[in-house]
């Protein structure tokens, strides 16, 4: 993104590409966060299930 801007900081085409690139990356990050949150919930669910099923001595 910085390289695009530095090539032509006044250029509207560069600014549009930077914004599009940023939007794309933000979408990717949000999807990864969602996947990680789902994975976290799955792990916590299984952990709780196994903790509750352990034989206590």
């Amino acid at each position: 993104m910085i390289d695009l801007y530095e090539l032509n900081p006044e250029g509207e085409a560069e600014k549009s590409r930077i914004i599009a690139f940023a939007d794309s990356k933000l979408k990717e990050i949000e999807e990864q966060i969602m996947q990680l949150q789902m994975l976290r919930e799955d792990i916590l669910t299984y952990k709780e299930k196994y903790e509750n099923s352990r034989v206590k001595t």
Side-chain angles (χ1 to χ4, degrees), residues 40-53:
R40 180 182 183 274
E41 289 302 316
D42 287 347
I43 290 171
L44 286 172
T45 299
Y46 282 109
K47 179 180 177 260
E48 183 177 325
K49 175 184 171 184
Y50 292 123
E51 285 177 337
N52 290 335
S53 68

Side-chain angles (χ1 to χ4, degrees), residues 4-53:
L4 286 174
Y5 180 77
E6 287 178 349
L7 286 174
N8 187 1
E10 301 301 320
E12 290 302 313
E14 284 80 2
K15 289 178 186 177
S16 292
R17 288 196 312 229
I18 290 168
I19 291 169
F21 180 78
D23 286 342
S24 173
K25 284 299 178 183
L26 286 169
K27 184 177 179 183
E28 285 179 29
I29 291 167
E30 289 168 3
E31 289 172 0
Q32 289 174 342
I33 289 170
M34 227 172 61
Q35 290 174 351
L36 287 170
Q37 287 173 330
M38 289 171 49
L39 178 60
R40 180 182 183 274
E41 289 302 316
D42 287 347
I43 290 171
L44 286 172
T45 299
Y46 282 109
K47 179 180 177 260
E48 183 177 325
K49 175 184 171 184
Y50 292 123
E51 285 177 337
N52 290 335
S53 68

